[in-house]
Amino acid sequence: MFAHIQSREQAVTEHSEFQQTPFTMSLKQEKREPTESSEYRQDPITMTFNREKEESTDKPPKCIDTCCSSITPPGSLAPMEVTFQTDLEKKIPIPNIGSTRFSMRKLWAFTGPGFLMSIAYLDPGNIESDLQSGAVAGFKILWVLLLATILGLMLQRLSARLGVVSGMQLAEVCRRQYPKFPRIALWLMVELAIIGSDMQEVIGSAIAINLLSVGRIPLWGGVLITIVDTFFFLFLDKYGLRKLEALFGFLIAVMAVTFGYEYVTVRPDQGQLLKGMFVPSCQGCGTRQLQQAVGIVGAVIMPHNIYLYSALVRSREVNRANKNEVTQANRYFFIEACIALFLSFLINVFVVSVFAEAFYNQTNEQVHEVCVNSSSPQSDLFPLNNETLSVDIYKGGVVLGCYFGAAALYIWAIGILAAGQSSTMSGTYTGQFVMEGFLNLKWSRFTRVVFTRTIAITPTLLVAVFQSVDTLTGMNDLLNVLMSLQLPFALIPILTFTSMSSVMHDFVNGLAWKIIGGIIILGICCINIYFVINYVSSLQMMALYIVAAVMAIAYLSFILYLVWFCLVVMGVSFLDCGRAINADRIMIVDDQIQTFRRVGSIRSADSGTLR
């Protein structure tokens, strides 16, 4: 029997061409014995591997292809690839409670990834979009913020399910499924979004430091300080994942307290607030209000955040061979995401409401007079004219200080600083996961920070040194356009792979979810394309129009390719052009590893020796 199992193990190895490469996990180094919870069952989530006494065939197990190119003719199997694990390999255990009823202990164990994900809904770009929408439209488009948050929650649900069910992050699935050129193009687009987001966080932190120091630290000095504090925070994860999650929770609490203080101080009209939140209308709105509503959607739904969340959910110890555990993990992660995004929505509402109540329809001249009367040194920021007040995160703090005292200004700056710092750290983790997933390349977090922060800080520092604060804060509008352009490169892949049965098995998207997801993504992409076209047309530069037209052809062509791939995956067979998506031989990396452990365990049990 021992010889029979040994020949069977050899067949598995030869069939998969399993090699020990620098990026391959050596099974001989695995010293953990399989637990009772990892028993394989006849379940569509994982590969079935029966004991020898239950099955006496010499055929190798069916599987094990995860690294094949995305579109290949059915035929040969590509070699199996077992990649290294990321920094989330230290998984947090989930308490084993026999009952299937809701458990606060289990919810607490799953709590963490959702709050890290929600940071992207509170970055300086979002805060600036909030205050501008309040100053421009009052409470009238709060319902857009609510709708954008709900849409974001639905997309994050897909991201979490992909990570939990497959054990792979979105970037890794893209590498395994798309051909080389689309894969590299996707990676570049996501990196561009990460760098753009990083620039917004640097700008926000620098402005906050300038406000807190009453202008003693110039903006370029604040930009340089953000380099140092980022490295300091990154060293904190050496103390464990739960402590790092607690740090993010603390920063979110700081934002809730600071912006909540502004909300209580201003005391907005609650009736108008509720009407604006739940009545989808915008009476008397014009082009400016419409543009602001579109900008809210672009600011709330961040493309790189979809990639981040699919990686974060893997930090919990879930036996994916057990369908009940996977279902439970999906449920608790969704509950946590609801709580986290509800909190982020409240913080955004605080900001919108403050500026809607205090500064809607205010003119520059009115604000200038108030600032002069309060002896504010920044009263010159507001010219003596009757134009409607235009604010950003810097002017917003100044205006709060003029109307409600210095405490309001400093508390606002603390909130912006917390938003910038938390977003900086989450962006660094996103960059690391994306690079590991797309390129199968692992950099140290220090190297990763040097790479992204250098690219982000160089243009920001130049603008801070040679231009005014208006130019620096005006970069946020350009960066929001950049984010909007990258959205299809996260939304289309997440819908594609959560609709692929070989990846999701029993948890694949049903027809209703495919239709709803497609409509959501189409709507969001159309809204953001309108936002981009409107922004480019406002620049009134012919040369820029020509460049934009050329880039638009390549951009739309790539999106059409991703849509075609998605439709073929969903079963629109007449579009496959005689080629087939390689979607029937994909097995999850962890399942492959456990299979080899299983073979080794049977072999050791029968021979009476330990491996």
Side-chain angles (χ1 to χ4, degrees):
M1 184 175 183
F2 172 81
H4 183 62
I5 294 176
Q6 186 175 14
S7 66
R8 182 179 185 178
E9 179 185 9
Q10 184 178 358
V12 176
T13 306
E14 292 175 355
H15 177 74
S16 307
E17 300 178 15
F18 184 76
Q19 304 283 337
Q20 290 189 12
T21 66
F23 294 105
T24 304
M25 183 176 295
S26 173
L27 296 173
K28 293 181 180 180
Q29 294 175 352
E30 293 293 328
K31 298 184 180 180
R32 290 179 296 174
E33 291 297 326
T35 62
E36 191 173 324
S37 64
S38 63
E39 292 291 329
Y40 276 78
R41 301 183 179 92
Q42 298 281 352
D43 193 287
I45 297 177
T46 183
M47 179 181 63
T48 303
F49 190 94
N50 292 326
R51 294 180 182 271
E52 176 64 28
K53 57 187 178 183
E54 295 175 356
E55 178 181 333
S56 58
T57 176
D58 290 328
K59 295 172 67 176
K62 181 185 178 183
C63 62
I64 302 175
D65 180 23
T66 60
C67 64
C68 51
S69 114
S70 58
I71 303 182
T72 62
S76 61
L77 287 171
M80 183 182 75
E81 175 185 353
V82 180
T83 57
F84 55 79
Q85 292 180 327
T86 66
D87 293 311
L88 295 179
E89 58 188 355
K90 298 179 181 178
K91 297 185 183 296
I92 295 173
I94 306 301
N96 185 15
I97 300 175
S99 174
T100 58
R101 296 166 59 185
F102 176 79
S103 167
M104 286 300 299
R105 284 182 59 197
K106 283 191 175 182
L107 179 60
W108 177 250
F110 281 105
T111 298
F115 283 91
L116 269 69
M117 170 270 295
S118 71
I119 291 293
Y121 293 74
L122 297 169
D123 70 351
N126 272 288
I127 301 301
E128 179 158 313
S129 176
D130 291 338
L131 64 89
Q132 288 176 344
S133 67
V136 169
F139 298 101
K140 296 177 182 178
I141 56 176
L142 266 176
W143 62 272
V144 177
L145 176 61
L146 175 61
L147 179 61
T149 305
I150 293 173
L151 294 180
L153 175 63
M154 296 298 101
L155 295 171
Q156 296 297 349
R157 174 185 178 271
L158 295 179
S159 178
R161 287 169 66 87
L162 177 68
V164 171
V165 175
S166 72
M168 295 182 286
Q169 54 161 311
L170 177 57
E172 187 177 357
V173 180
C174 290
R175 174 172 59 83
R176 295 170 183 275
Q177 291 299 307
Y178 287 124
K180 183 176 181 179
F181 176 78
R183 182 172 69 240
I184 297 301
L186 269 179
W187 171 65
L188 292 175
M189 293 298 100
V190 178
E191 288 287 358
L192 197 60
I194 293 170
I195 291 170
S197 176
D198 203 34
M199 290 179 67
Q200 286 186 317
E201 290 139 15
V202 170
I203 292 170
S205 297
I207 287 174
I209 291 170
N210 179 267
L211 289 173
L212 287 171
S213 65
V214 198
R216 293 186 179 89
I217 298 178
L219 290 172
W220 60 265
V223 171
L224 294 177
I225 290 174
T226 61
I227 303 176
V228 179
D229 60 17
T230 301
F231 288 114
F232 170 76
F233 281 120
L234 286 177
F235 285 118
L236 294 180
D237 72 339
K238 302 296 182 183
Y239 295 97
L241 181 60
R242 291 299 270 178
K243 292 183 175 62
L244 183 67
E245 291 173 347
L247 173 63
F248 279 92
F250 170 75
L251 292 174
I252 293 174
V254 169
M255 286 184 272
V257 171
T258 53
F259 297 135
Y261 170 85
E262 309 287 358
Y263 180 85
V264 172
T265 301
V266 175
R267 290 180 293 181
D269 185 327
Q270 302 302 303
Q272 290 296 318
L273 187 153
L274 293 175
K275 180 181 177 181
M277 187 180 299
F278 296 110
V279 178
S281 64
C282 190
Q283 186 177 1
C285 291
T287 304
R288 193 179 179 193
Q289 286 76 21
L290 177 61
Q291 293 172 359
Q292 195 60 53
V294 170
I296 289 175
V297 178
V300 167
I301 303 176
M302 307 287 280
H304 58 282
N305 204 34
I306 306 293
Y307 288 87
L308 173 65
Y309 196 37
S310 65
L312 292 175
V313 295
R314 300 181 304 157
S315 61
R316 268 50 183 179
E317 197 172 90
V318 177
N319 175 20
R320 289 179 296 102
N322 187 324
K323 183 178 178 180
N324 291 331
E325 286 195 27
V326 175
T327 302
Q328 172 185 262
N330 285 331
R331 181 172 66 249
Y332 280 105
F333 276 129
F334 183 69
I335 293 172
E336 189 227 0
C338 289
I339 296 171
L341 291 188
F342 175 72
L343 181 58
S344 70
F345 173 71
L346 282 182
I347 295 173
N348 283 311
V349 168
F350 288 162
V351 178
V352 174
S353 301
V354 165
F355 284 84
E357 180 68 28
F359 309 116
Y360 175 53
N361 278 337
Q362 292 285 309
T363 65
N364 287 321
E365 185 175 5
Q366 290 173 322
V367 174
H368 180 88
E369 291 177 359
V370 173
C371 288
V372 169
N373 293 333
S374 63
S375 301
S376 171
Q378 290 98 359
S379 57
D380 292 338
L381 287 172
F382 310 100
L384 289 169
N385 58 46
N386 289 322
E387 293 182 7
T388 304
L389 176 67
S390 176
V391 290
D392 48 47
I393 54 177
Y394 182 80
K395 290 181 180 178
V398 173
V399 170
L400 287 172
C402 293
Y403 277 76
F404 304 104
L409 185 151
Y410 293 131
I411 291 173
W412 168 263
I414 292 172
I416 296 297
L417 184 62
Q421 292 306 305
S422 57
S423 301
T424 293
M425 289 185 287
S426 65
T428 301
Y429 280 97
T430 307
Q432 186 176 11
F433 293 135
V434 164
M435 181 170 286
E436 290 173 357
F438 274 111
L439 304 182
N440 207 20
L441 176 65
K442 187 170 185 177
W443 283 8
S444 69
R445 197 164 294 121
F446 180 88
T447 306
R448 175 70 206 183
V449 171
V450 172
F451 173 72
T452 55
R453 189 43 62 98
T454 300
I455 297 176
I457 278 183
T458 301
T460 308
L461 185 61
L462 291 175
V463 172
V465 171
F466 298 107
Q467 299 292 328
S468 65
V469 66
D470 288 336
T471 306
L472 186 63
T473 54
M475 289 178 66
N476 275 325
D477 294 332
L478 176 62
L479 295 172
N480 281 334
V481 170
L482 179 66
M483 300 295 172
S484 299
L485 285 171
Q486 310 312 315
L487 267 175
F489 306 127
L491 304 188
I492 298 175
I494 195 62
L495 180 63
T496 299
F497 299 126
T498 53
S499 300
M500 187 178 282
S501 59
S502 58
V503 175
M504 300 298 291
H505 302 280
D506 277 3
F507 297 90
V508 67
N509 289 335
L511 179 61
W513 261 105
K514 291 176 182 178
I515 295 174
I516 293 172
I519 293 174
I520 290 174
I521 291 172
L522 178 63
I524 291 173
C525 290
C526 290
I527 287 173
N528 284 280
I529 289 174
Y530 168 82
F531 178 59
V532 172
I533 293 174
N534 184 77
Y535 178 82
V536 173
S537 62
S538 67
L539 298 178
Q540 299 180 351
M541 295 175 60
M542 183 58 65
L544 189 59
Y545 295 161
I546 297 174
V547 173
V550 173
M551 294 179 64
I553 295 174
Y555 176 80
L556 293 175
S557 299
F558 189 31
I559 290 179
L560 287 176
Y561 169 81
L562 296 177
V563 171
W564 168 79
F565 190 100
C566 181
L567 291 175
V568 173
V569 165
M570 290 183 179
V572 186
S573 57
F574 72 90
L575 293 175
D576 62 9
C577 304
R579 306 184 72 171
I581 301 293
N582 192 7
D584 57 350
R585 296 186 299 279
I586 300 172
M587 289 306 299
I588 301 165
V589 172
D590 289 356
D591 294 338
Q592 299 173 21
I593 296 171
Q594 291 176 16
T595 299
F596 282 94
R597 288 179 187 166
R598 182 73 171 162
V599 172
S601 176
I602 297 173
R603 177 177 176 179
S604 299
D606 287 339
S607 63
T609 61
L610 294 175
R611 282 186 72 167

